[in-house]
Amino acid sequence: MNRRDFLKFTGILAIGVAAHQAINMLSGSDARQSQKKREKWAMAISFSACVKKEGCKACIDACHFIHNVPEFGNPKDEIKWIWQSPFETVFGDETNVFTKSMLKNLSVLCLCNHCENPPCVRVCPTKATWIRKDGIVMMDYHRCIGCRYCMAACPYDARSFNWREPEPFIKEINRDFPRRSKGVVEKCNFCEERISQGFLPACVEACTERALIFGDLNDSDSEISRLLRTRFSIQRKPHLGTDPKVFYLF
Amino acid sequence: MIEKAFKGTSGYWLWLFFLFFLVIAGFISYLRQLHEGLTITGMGRDISWGLYIANFTFLVGIAASAVIVVLPYYVHDYKKFSVVTVLGEFLAVSSVIMTILFITVDLGMPSRILNVLFYPTPSSLLFWDMVVLSGYLVLNLIIGWVTLDAEMKEIEPPKWLKPLAYISIPWAISIHTVTAFIYSGLVARPFWHTALLAPRFLASAFASGPSVLVILCYIMGYHGAFYLERDIIKKLTTIITYALAIHIFFTLAEIYTVFYGNVPAHKTHLEFLFYGVPWNRFLMPWAWGSILGAAIAFILFLTASKRRDDVTLFASLLTVFSIWAEKGLGLVIGGFVPTVLYKFPKYIPTLYEVLITFGIYGVGAIILTILFKMAASVRQGN
């Protein structure tokens, strides 16, 4: 490279860098993001508070109504975003036979764990499911090809497939949230449509016993951060390395 | 060359007509599935992959096993394999087409299948499977076709063919490895999460693939399509015997590790396969059938099959059944039961599902028949 080429090269480089800076300044994206630390959304579920009202399904009803989750009335086609499952089926590997028998009648509230290291995102062949910077594992119903690889990969049974047309089985349609067509996978979205508006997730809001606590793990003063620091908590199948962001409080 | 497939006996046309009927029945069932959704299959939220993915997995193995005839012929210059090499490559072609069809009918949104290309995702093994399978299809189609074409014109195959044949050898290994990685990379299902899965897949593929080839050779020989030397069958059965031995060894190694290690999450899957739970033992006959089938076939190959054609044919059929039950049904369904929430659901394929499956096998058989007819006609010189 001679001197002339070198000057040409560095000149073009300088213009490029300047242009990049200018675009960033105009859009303001870089600057704004670096100033404020992103949220890391998480949920804590208190066993003791959750069992206070027997047979209470307020959170499930609220979620399934606002998200247009259908009810087919058979376990084969079932779609669920948030549900209850017996203690030993949820924490079977983590506890002993005495605890299991003591908590035989305890129903544990389950939903998508919004893993920090989500296996479903890793396996999706079309990036129809991905993890956002704030930790929410999202789904694009319009890109999903329905291969169900994510369902095989999820260790928490959090994903549901639309085995048939869901619309006739939605009790009351909520026009503010998209309905799905048959052939795609869906799951809990941590109510991202609500938290972007400054509201709490529907299940958290619906709970009269304050059994569900939702908040920002990156904010050390948030209620969830304080609770997790001071109370004993467990996650579902932590040994799998998925790092769930739904915690269960004792 | 394709014109040779249009001249045949009435038996040939009857056979093609029968296959065409299967395809039509499968196609009508598939239209129904498109309309109603996958709810018309036996699959559900707990067992979300079934007969389609089982056959996909099995057929990737059959496709990969073409390497077992390509390698001796091209690398070791084993000239006696010249006929079976072309047959093996054509078998791979029809198998790969069937695997692609099985994946497609399993999709909830088949119209969006090109999303895999529009949004390529290297972290997904399904993406890689699509890449290696389509590459393998093209490779085998070219190699088989050009070899046969050269033979027809009585000239040497072009020089560029040999490098392609060499590439197809590791490529064959790759298609079955990637297919095994689809399963073995999943921590959610302990039954699949074992490093031995890919080696096991390959070993069982090298037993089942050549077995299919042996069966096809007998069928071709019975119809006088071409004269097959006893030596070729003998060589193939030797390969099958070794592969079966390795397959049985790998299976026992897995069983030992799981039961001696005694980790409940790993144990429950194998226990379900071989014993079931009191209210649900639906995989038990398949699991035992597969193990016993492999053992009996192995003994037959070691002994009587050396002298008798009927025994060889029977042992080959037994091997194909055993590997299909083990790698297809047992592996896929066995991975889902118990579920991640410790449920023991049942899976019974529906009539629609079975018809669609037969329809796809019909497509594969039509392709295979036409390609084999071409090969036989070229051999006979008419």
Side-chain angles (χ1 to χ4, degrees):
Chain A
M1 191 187 278
N2 59 29
R3 185 163 169 268
R4 195 184 145 86
D5 282 346
F6 176 75
L7 284 177
K8 244 200 258 172
F9 175 68
T10 46
I12 289 165
L13 205 67
I15 292 168
V17 171
H20 180 74
Q21 290 284 345
I23 289 164
N24 271 348
M25 240 146 66
L26 286 174
S27 66
S29 60
D30 228 42
R32 229 175 283 155
Q33 269 173 18
S34 58
Q35 272 166 17
K36 191 178 170 290
K37 211 171 166 191
R38 281 300 285 262
E39 296 94 348
K40 191 63 87 184
W41 300 116
M43 189 182 285
I45 298 171
S46 161
F47 283 133
S48 51
C50 187
V51 293
K52 268 190 192 148
K53 263 199 210 160
E54 202 161 326
C56 172
K57 287 191 166 37
C59 55
I60 300 173
D61 292 340
C63 166
H64 285 188
F65 163 67
I66 76 154
H67 294 120
N68 292 320
V69 175
E71 208 169 297
F72 300 108
N74 76 65
K76 190 170 152 303
D77 293 331
E78 188 190 9
I79 292 179
K80 56 190 190 185
W81 283 33
I82 179 167
W83 72 98
Q84 285 175 318
S85 210
F87 179 84
E88 64 172 329
T89 65
V90 183
F91 292 107
D93 284 342
E94 278 80 9
T95 45
N96 56 58
V97 59
F98 299 104
T99 312
K100 273 183 213 166
S101 106
M102 181 177 84
L103 299 175
K104 207 168 59 212
N105 298 319
L106 180 65
S107 281
V108 178
L109 198 61
C110 300
L111 64 155
C112 171
N113 279 296
H114 295 275
C115 306
E116 265 306 278
N117 192 6
C120 54
V121 169
R122 223 180 300 153
V123 301
C124 177
T126 60
K127 301 192 184 83
T129 188
W130 72 99
I131 181 163
R132 301 202 313 196
K133 288 216 172 67
D134 62 3
I136 297 181
V137 176
M138 291 287 288
M139 239 340 271
D140 184 343
Y141 312 122
H142 300 285
R143 190 184 284 192
C144 175
I145 60 172
C147 69
R148 309 189 295 291
Y149 197 5
C150 56
M151 290 176 76
C154 176
Y156 307 108
D157 204 23
R159 291 180 160 268
S160 306
F161 181 70
N162 284 277
W163 297 95
R164 58 195 303 179
E165 200 58 66
E167 189 146 336
F169 299 91
I170 303 172
K171 266 185 256 162
E172 195 183 336
I173 288 168
N174 171 21
R175 302 267 162 210
D176 295 330
F177 196 80
R179 281 153 285 161
R180 277 74 63 190
S181 55
K182 68 170 185 289
V184 300
V185 170
E186 60 180 82
K187 65 167 200 76
C188 156
N189 63 349
F190 250 7
C191 278
E192 70 79 38
E193 81 280 4
R194 288 172 60 91
I195 53 178
S196 67
Q197 308 283 317
F199 296 110
L200 282 171
C203 54
V204 177
E205 203 177 79
C207 182
T208 51
E209 303 303 320
R210 285 188 42 78
L212 309 179
I213 298 101
F214 183 82
D216 178 10
L217 285 183
N218 278 349
D219 174 4
S220 57
D221 288 332
S222 67
E223 187 186 3
I224 189 162
S225 295
R226 273 186 286 119
L227 274 172
L228 291 176
R229 273 202 305 273
T230 51
R231 281 174 64 180
F232 179 72
S233 64
I234 54 174
Q235 296 161 301
R236 288 176 71 187
K237 304 187 183 178
H239 61 277
L240 296 181
T242 53
D243 196 5
K245 287 199 291 290
V246 173
F247 296 85
Y248 292 87
L249 295 173
F250 276 93
Chain B
M1 204 159 51
I2 190 88
E3 72 279 357
K4 298 203 184 298
F6 294 114
K7 277 188 286 177
T9 60
S10 56
Y12 171 73
W13 288 107
L14 208 63
W15 166 244
L16 277 183
F17 185 76
F18 164 71
L19 293 177
F20 185 68
F21 172 75
L22 274 189
V23 176
I24 292 296
F27 185 71
I28 292 169
S29 307
Y30 183 60
L31 289 180
R32 183 99 190 130
Q33 182 185 298
L34 273 182
H35 186 253
E36 298 278 320
L38 283 152
T39 184
I40 66 155
T41 69
M43 295 182 275
R45 78 159 295 125
D46 289 326
I47 298 179
S48 47
W49 280 344
L51 206 55
Y52 302 149
I53 296 296
N55 281 299
F56 153 78
T57 311
F58 172 73
L59 286 170
V60 174
I62 300 295
S65 69
V67 71
I68 229 74
V69 283
V70 170
L71 193 129
Y73 180 65
Y74 285 101
V75 180
H76 299 288
D77 217 24
Y78 187 70
K79 286 287 177 238
K80 274 190 184 155
F81 266 7
S82 74
V83 192
V84 276
T85 302
V86 173
L87 297 187
E89 279 154 356
F90 285 160
L91 176 62
V93 167
S94 95
S95 304
V96 174
I97 291 171
M98 285 191 275
T99 63
I100 294 169
L101 288 174
F102 272 118
I103 284 278
T104 311
V105 298
D106 189 64
L107 293 182
M109 278 283 175
S111 56
R112 295 183 186 163
I113 193 165
L114 287 178
N115 279 4
V116 181
L117 294 175
F118 295 153
Y119 312 103
T121 313
S123 70
S124 173
L125 267 303
L126 221 49
F127 164 74
W128 286 110
D129 218 30
M130 194 213 61
V131 172
V132 292
L133 280 176
S134 38
Y136 192 66
L137 175 62
V138 173
L139 272 177
N140 277 288
L141 199 54
I142 293 176
I143 300 168
W145 194 280
V146 172
T147 310
L148 202 59
D149 196 49
E151 198 173 317
M152 189 175 74
K153 293 173 184 155
E154 292 173 5
I155 51 169
E156 281 285 299
K159 278 218 161 55
W160 50 264
L161 201 67
K162 213 159 184 192
L164 278 192
Y166 283 147
I167 292 171
S168 82
I169 293 167
W171 204 293
I173 309 287
S174 85
I175 63 167
H176 218 22
T177 305
V178 170
T179 305
F181 281 3
I182 288 179
Y183 299 100
S184 67
L186 302 183
V187 291
R189 320 279 168 180
F191 185 53
W192 297 337
H193 189 50
T194 161
L196 196 58
L197 205 64
R200 257 175 81 192
F201 269 27
L202 285 166
S204 59
F206 294 157
S208 56
S211 295
V212 173
L213 218 48
V214 166
I215 296 165
L216 291 173
C217 282
Y218 276 122
I219 295 172
M220 303 272 289
Y222 178 78
H223 288 286
F226 47 72
Y227 173 69
L228 269 176
E229 281 176 73
R230 188 84 185 85
D231 260 14
I232 297 176
I233 301 279
K234 242 183 181 166
K235 256 299 181 271
L236 284 174
T237 54
T238 308
I239 293 168
I240 299 170
T241 317
Y242 275 112
L244 263 180
I246 299 170
H247 163 67
I248 293 168
F249 169 69
F250 280 169
T251 306
L252 293 176
E254 182 74 29
I255 289 173
Y256 159 77
T257 311
V258 166
F259 282 106
Y260 196 88
N262 205 34
V263 175
H266 293 246
K267 231 172 43 174
T268 48
H269 289 279
L270 275 182
E271 278 174 349
F272 176 73
L273 264 184
F274 289 113
Y275 301 109
V277 283
W279 63 93
N280 183 1
R281 302 185 194 276
F282 82 105
L283 279 181
M284 213 172 125
W286 296 98
W288 285 107
S290 167
I291 287 257
L292 291 176
I296 294 169
F298 179 63
I299 293 167
L300 288 179
F301 277 128
L302 275 184
T303 53
S305 114
K306 290 200 174 85
R307 297 178 302 275
R308 291 175 52 179
D309 281 333
D310 52 347
V311 175
T312 308
L313 187 60
F314 175 70
S316 302
L317 284 167
L318 205 56
T319 306
V320 175
F321 159 77
S322 161
I323 305 297
W324 183 84
E326 190 254 357
K327 186 156 50 178
L329 219 52
L331 177 104
V332 176
I333 316 298
F336 284 109
V337 190
T339 69
V340 294
L341 289 173
Y342 303 97
K343 278 193 279 179
F344 290 88
K346 267 191 187 138
Y347 168 74
I348 297 154
T350 59
L351 182 64
Y352 286 123
E353 213 174 346
V354 173
L355 285 177
I356 292 171
T357 302
F358 278 133
I360 294 176
Y361 274 105
V363 173
I366 288 176
I367 294 168
L368 199 67
T369 306
I370 290 174
L371 291 175
F372 274 29
K373 176 76 171 56
M374 273 168 37
S377 303
V378 167
R379 263 289 139 132
Q380 292 162 340
N382 57 32

